[in-house]
Amino acid sequence: NPFAKRVLPSPSPRNSHIIMDFFAHQDAARRRTGFLVFYFVAAVGLIIFAVYGVVALFLTHGFHETPFKSFWDPRLLTYVSGAIVLVVAGGSLYKMRMLARGGPAVAEMLGGTPVTASSQVPAYRRLLNVVEEMSIASGIHTPGVYVLERERGINAFAAGFTTSDAVVCVTRGALERLNRDELQGVVAHEFSHILNGDMRLNLRLMGVLNGILVIALIGYGIMRAGFNLQSTTPRRSKDGTVSMGALSFGFCLMAVGYIGLFFAKVIKAAVSRQREFLADASAVQFTRNPSGIAEALKKIGGFSTGSRLLSEKAEEASHLYFGNGLAESLFGLLATHPPLAERVRRIEPSFDGEFPKQPEVLAIEDAPEDLSSLFTGSRPGDYVFDAPAAETPGAPAAEASSGFSPARAEARGFWENIAPGGAAGFSPARAVARVGNPTAEHLAYAKSFRARIPSRLLDAARDPMRAELLIYALLCDAPGPVRDKQTAGLKSALCDEDFNEFQTLAPETEVLDKELYLPILETAVPTLKSVPPAQYEDFRANAAALISADGVVSVFEYTLNCMIARHLAPRFGKARPAASVRYHTIDQIAPDCLEILSVLAWHERDDETARKAFADSTAYLMPGASLKLPDRASSGLDRMGQALARVAMSSGKVKKEVLTAVCIAIASDKIVTVDEAALLRAVSDTLDCPMPPFLPGELLAA
């Protein structure tokens, strides 16, 4: 069998140092979560014994009338343990409930302002363009974008439980002081955290720390109450004795709580520090521009404010940031980030450790050269610049230091400009190895895609009120009876103004290159997260009517349904994100795998090639098993939903095996079409395994 496991090629030794195993990182992130639970239980155990010591000491020596006469009493230990567990668990669960919305909850907690996709503020537009390019290049659903407008420090973070609720948030200082290359390096660093599965661990860590902090807060409250009572009563009175006891007990309880918090911070620092080096390396690989992220780090080092955040909640999320968001710690043990000089030196070995001093007040001549204006000047102290070169929707992105230019690429031939000889054909192993490993070629390809999308369509994709109309236009068939039926349905469902806008967009989508459908969808679907629930319900009903008009589910329609189910339905409370890992072997999900592979085998194939595709893929996934291909009638695209949902709850190792089998099924006939590539990426997205787009030449032959 040519697709047997033993002959699948592995990455070449020459490139192995830059290829990271996405699936192994996902499993490692979950193991780190397990270690976090272990440390959390150990910390709570130590706190229980420490609090017990304090309580027993006061009961046996501070009060004469007490049922506990000896320092060691199992009943007292039981009472203290129950109280501490309830308090810590309650504090953690309360915080996790506050963070249940994922990334948006963290961004808003820190004072972030959402940036709408239709924003025309040049600084925001530049940031949105960078994030959109990164999303298309990496295969990640476009995350929400937030700005911390009150923060002068140069910083950023990514947060979320999954790619569906992820956000990228940057500070005002980063927008003001970083040029496009530097901003791209910072955003690439944050995308690495998204790809490597760090976000879920980071949010759980915030919940855990809050539970331990509650002990210290209770001690502080008791001590404050004792102080107030002490200031209003004579020292020798009974109330004075009680107040002194409360002061002492509260102080001891607060000390125990902060000791627990100290060790929790040590755990947080240990978990966070090495991941920053990995994210820096991934950003360099992604952008192929080491100077971008290196110069951003140097600007942090040379700026008096550095990367510090002023928010009173900054401490809670300190392990999320691009740079250290807190004042320098006296103990390096507590630092959540490696020293700046060391991070720069790993990117630029020749760095001498001296950071160029940054001006305190940004003058026009110090502004990033590719940024026309920063903010509107709506508040005192806002900067306003008058340079003419703003990024506008639909316009080509500013040329990066890597030398890419969409205009030059079109003139000389895209691949001649980027990666001569880069088209290597389709390989199942290579396709799976690309998951979570976008490269500079993918980023350049994403820029060229965005430059090819007509400005009217790109504007519509970013406008919450028009994005759904654009999707309707993409769903409509070619002129004919089906198209007439779809148009009549929309005319009755939409108001006159919306229907007229739909008719304006429809002619442009009819002549649009099919390759641009998916990038447009990846831009438009996230925009719909901001619409009212009633509008979302209308959109779902109208889209379903358009899809069912011809009685057949196309690849594009299936992809849209996958995006809605995964990225929009949870936002409107119609579904829940995938649960934790439940399945660790192929045997546990064998029926689901067979359903998926049979659907892919039959897709646009005759009987003989379908049987071969099914045999090749199942021989890889379940060697030695004798399996029969189900009938074509029972293998439509609409049957894969539940099967994929179960596979999505598998470990990274299992997902990797299933995705490889999917690639084998698609490539079995030695031809991979654009539709098949889109279908593969839809399956990958449903499994939360972001696959970068296929580059020119990669789909010619298997």
Side-chain angles (χ1 to χ4, degrees), residues 595-603 605 640 662 665-666 679 683:
E595 175 121 31
I596 294 167
L597 296 178
S598 66
V599 171
L600 296 172
W602 279 118
H603 182 65
R605 288 191 172 99
M640 284 204 301
V662 167
I666 286 176
L679 183 56
V683 170

Side-chain angles (χ1 to χ4, degrees), residues 388-676:
E391 285 199 32
T392 56
E399 184 168 338
S401 63
S402 58
F404 174 80
S405 163
R408 190 160 69 246
E410 185 176 354
R412 294 177 51 196
F414 178 70
W415 275 102
E416 180 184 352
N417 187 49
I418 297 177
F426 185 90
S427 157
R430 187 161 51 244
V432 174
R434 289 159 18 116
V435 172
N437 281 292
T439 64
E441 284 77 21
H442 294 113
L443 184 56
Y445 191 50
K447 291 179 181 178
S448 75
F449 258 60
R450 201 164 57 81
R452 288 168 56 195
I453 298 174
S455 59
R456 177 188 288 273
L457 299 187
L458 196 57
D459 288 346
R462 291 166 170 164
D463 185 343
M465 306 308 294
R466 298 163 62 205
E468 63 179 75
L469 303 176
L470 174 59
I471 293 176
Y472 298 157
L474 294 173
L475 286 173
C476 284
D477 277 26
V482 174
R483 174 65 171 264
D484 294 341
K485 178 182 177 182
Q486 291 172 321
T487 304
L490 285 176
K491 185 173 179 62
S492 62
L494 301 176
C495 66
D496 292 342
E497 182 180 355
D498 286 347
F499 184 73
N500 291 336
E501 178 65 21
F502 160 76
Q503 289 189 307
T504 302
L505 295 171
E508 292 200 48
T509 60
E510 289 176 13
V511 298
L512 191 67
D513 190 333
K514 298 292 184 183
E515 289 185 60
L516 298 178
Y517 275 31
L518 190 54
I520 290 178
L521 206 57
E522 290 172 335
T523 303
V525 168
T527 303
L528 294 177
K529 285 185 176 182
S530 61
V531 303
Q535 184 178 338
Y536 169 75
E537 294 296 340
D538 291 341
F539 164 72
R540 290 289 286 121
N542 293 335
L546 293 173
I547 291 172
S548 62
D550 60 357
V552 178
V553 178
S554 68
V555 170
F556 176 74
E557 292 166 345
Y558 175 76
T559 302
L560 173 62
N561 278 334
C562 286
M563 286 188 174
I564 290 173
R566 175 162 165 73
H567 302 296
L568 287 183
R571 164 66 178 82
F572 292 96
K574 304 301 179 182
R576 299 185 64 181
S580 301
V581 172
R582 294 183 184 177
Y583 310 113
H584 298 273
T585 65
I586 294 295
D587 292 342
Q588 294 175 298
I589 52 170
D592 303 291
C593 295
L594 295 178
E595 175 121 31
I596 294 167
L597 296 178
S598 66
V599 171
L600 296 172
W602 279 118
H603 182 65
E604 297 184 350
R605 288 191 172 99
D606 58 32
D607 292 2
E608 182 179 351
T609 53
R611 282 193 291 270
K612 182 179 184 302
F614 187 74
D616 287 344
S617 57
T618 54
Y620 171 83
L621 196 62
M622 306 170 191
S626 179
L627 302 167
K628 181 181 178 181
L629 176 65
D631 295 336
R632 183 188 295 269
S634 62
S635 300
L637 283 177
D638 54 343
R639 297 182 61 88
M640 284 204 301
Q642 290 185 348
L644 283 172
R646 282 173 55 85
V647 176
M649 293 185 284
S650 303
S651 66
K653 180 180 179 181
V654 171
K655 286 182 182 179
K656 184 176 184 179
E657 297 294 292
V658 173
L659 201 54
T660 303
V662 167
C663 291
I664 291 171
I666 286 176
S668 178
D669 57 0
K670 309 299 185 195
I671 297 172
V672 181
T673 65
V674 172
D675 265 2
E676 287 174 328

Side-chain angles (χ1 to χ4, degrees), residues 79-126:
Y79 298 151
V80 170
S81 299
I84 295 299
V85 168
L86 285 175
V87 169
V88 173
S92 294
L93 291 174
Y94 171 75
K95 193 65 176 182
M96 292 304 295
R97 184 172 181 81
M98 287 181 60
L99 300 175
R101 291 190 297 121
V106 180
E108 291 165 12
M109 178 188 79
L110 294 170
T113 301
V115 179
T116 61
S118 57
S119 174
Q120 298 302 311
V121 177
Y124 291 173
R125 184 73 265 148
R126 181 184 68 155

Side-chain angles (χ1 to χ4, degrees), residues 267-473:
I267 297 170
K268 180 169 68 173
V271 169
S272 175
R273 231 173 296 176
Q274 287 304 315
R275 291 179 299 148
E276 296 305 316
F277 287 128
L278 174 62
D280 288 345
S282 298
V284 172
Q285 173 181 316
F286 195 174
T287 62
R288 197 174 292 168
N289 181 16
S291 65
I293 189 169
E295 292 302 319
L297 291 169
K298 290 177 185 177
K299 285 187 176 179
I300 291 175
F303 184 36
S304 63
T305 306
S307 53
R308 290 195 301 277
L309 301 184
L310 302 179
S311 170
E312 61 182 13
K313 302 286 187 179
E315 164 68 37
E316 293 185 44
S318 61
H319 54 299
L320 272 66
Y321 307 138
F322 172 73
N324 181 18
L326 308 177
E328 291 296 329
S329 172
L330 295 177
F331 306 98
L333 185 67
L334 298 181
T336 54
H337 292 68
L340 280 177
E342 185 177 353
R343 290 176 67 181
V344 176
R345 201 169 286 117
R346 291 204 180 190
I347 301 170
E348 293 183 1
S350 60
F351 178 59
D352 60 5
E354 294 294 326
F355 295 104
K357 187 173 179 58
Q358 299 296 310
E360 291 301 305
V361 178
L362 199 63
I364 292 179
E365 58 269 20
D366 296 318
E369 67 281 356
D370 57 357
L371 190 58
S372 68
S373 64
L374 292 173
F375 293 87
T376 58
S378 59
R379 295 191 305 274
D382 283 350
Y383 301 108
V384 181
F385 298 90
D386 298 318
E391 285 199 32
T392 56
E399 184 168 338
S401 63
S402 58
F404 174 80
S405 163
R408 190 160 69 246
E410 185 176 354
R412 294 177 51 196
F414 178 70
W415 275 102
E416 180 184 352
N417 187 49
I418 297 177
F426 185 90
S427 157
R430 187 161 51 244
V432 174
R434 289 159 18 116
V435 172
N437 281 292
T439 64
E441 284 77 21
H442 294 113
L443 184 56
Y445 191 50
K447 291 179 181 178
S448 75
F449 258 60
R450 201 164 57 81
R452 288 168 56 195
I453 298 174
S455 59
R456 177 188 288 273
L457 299 187
L458 196 57
D459 288 346
R462 291 166 170 164
D463 185 343
M465 306 308 294
R466 298 163 62 205
E468 63 179 75
L469 303 176
L470 174 59
I471 293 176
Y472 298 157

Side-chain angles (χ1 to χ4, degrees), residues 141-201:
H141 173 79
T142 305
V145 179
Y146 283 74
V147 172
L148 301 177
E149 292 190 359
R150 298 183 179 181
E151 300 290 355
R152 293 183 65 237
I154 303 171
N155 220 325
F157 67 86
F161 286 107
T162 68
T163 54
S164 296
D165 59 32
V167 302
V168 171
C169 184
V170 303
T171 61
R172 178 188 178 92
L175 289 184
E176 289 176 350
R177 294 178 177 272
L178 301 183
N179 63 32
R180 197 182 200 278
D181 279 0
E182 294 159 358
L183 182 64
Q184 186 180 70
V186 171
V187 172
H189 174 103
E190 299 309 325
F191 264 72
S192 173
H193 286 309
I194 297 174
L195 290 168
N196 291 334
D198 297 333
M199 297 188 305
R200 179 187 290 268
L201 176 66

